[in-house]
Amino acid sequence: MKQQQPINPIQSTYNKTVKEVYYAIYRNAKQLLSTLEREELRYSLEREDKTTTKVGTIIHEFINPLIYLRLECHPNEILAIHYGFEQVLAVNQYSKVTSAFIRSIYKLTAKDTTAINIEEAVRTDWCIKTCSEMYEYIEERNKHHTFKQIKYKSATVRRKQMQAVA
């Protein structure tokens, strides 16, 4: 019988913080995408594995034609965040979404923002730059992902809600 290794409390706190920040980035990504009128750009494929956190496990993955986000377990059972974005050649609504997404990743993982420094959790050993191609590929060969659609929320309605709160 294989013995469980004791959990390192620092590692546990680190992973908990990475996970919390990852899901904040994920919520932000969905909020950004919800402002897009084109329905097909609000489709996503999601994968989640809540059963284990061993090396190589994809804990959560979000694939969209414009944005890619993944939380996975790396060696030493440390959580890591990978991301991607569709390269948009012109400055338009889509480039504003992808730019805001990238800024949110680095803003939310900054050591000034979190109680514990998790900046190393953002990995750039590979980065997806053709999210639309990846989305189509996974959609055609889907074995692990769930299809979801993000509801459309007009940016003007959201602005009015924000002003009402202020």
Side-chain angles (χ1 to χ4, degrees):
M1 180 180 247
K2 190 176 180 182
Q3 286 186 321
Q4 293 265 0
Q5 290 184 340
I7 297 174
N8 179 338
I10 294 170
Q11 183 178 335
S12 177
T13 303
Y14 179 88
N15 283 346
K16 181 179 182 237
T17 304
V18 170
K19 198 174 216 177
E20 288 170 358
V21 169
Y22 171 85
Y23 283 106
I25 295 166
Y26 166 68
R27 286 188 301 276
N28 183 61
K30 288 186 2 177
Q31 183 273 321
L32 288 167
L33 293 168
S34 73
T35 63
L36 300 174
E37 288 183 33
R38 285 185 56 196
E39 184 177 49
E40 63 272 15
L41 293 178
R42 288 183 280 113
Y43 292 150
S44 66
L45 295 167
E46 293 189 40
R47 174 181 182 171
E48 194 162 19
D49 186 352
K50 294 181 180 181
T51 59
T52 183
T53 53
K54 62 181 182 181
V55 175
T57 301
I58 297 170
I59 297 165
H60 187 265
E61 185 173 49
F62 177 78
I63 305 169
N64 168 274
L66 291 176
I67 291 174
Y68 174 77
L69 189 61
R70 176 192 268 190
L71 178 65
E72 66 184 2
C73 189
H74 273 234
N76 299 327
E77 297 181 2
I78 295 292
L79 297 184
I81 299 169
H82 277 100
Y83 68 94
F85 55 93
E86 185 73 14
Q87 285 187 290
V88 182
L89 300 177
V91 176
N92 58 28
Q93 182 182 17
Y94 310 133
S95 67
K96 289 177 184 174
V97 167
T98 57
S99 295
F101 170 67
I102 295 166
R103 284 192 309 275
S104 77
I105 292 169
Y106 288 97
K107 180 180 177 186
L108 293 170
T109 59
K111 65 181 173 184
D112 300 339
T113 308
T114 57
I116 183 170
N117 184 357
I118 61 164
E119 287 184 347
E120 290 182 5
V122 178
R123 301 293 170 99
T124 58
D125 49 339
W126 53 268
C127 183
I128 306 296
K129 294 185 287 185
T130 53
C131 294
S132 58
E133 288 179 19
M134 181 178 191
Y135 178 86
E136 289 173 12
Y137 180 85
I138 298 295
E139 184 180 36
E140 291 171 6
R141 294 159 183 81
N142 190 4
K143 291 183 182 175
H144 306 286
H145 295 77
T146 304
F147 176 81
K148 295 184 179 182
Q149 183 181 19
I150 300 167
K151 287 185 176 184
Y152 175 67
K153 295 177 185 169
S154 170
T156 55
V157 170
R158 184 168 291 115
R159 241 182 276 124
K160 287 180 184 178
Q161 289 173 343
M162 295 293 270
Q163 289 173 349
V165 172

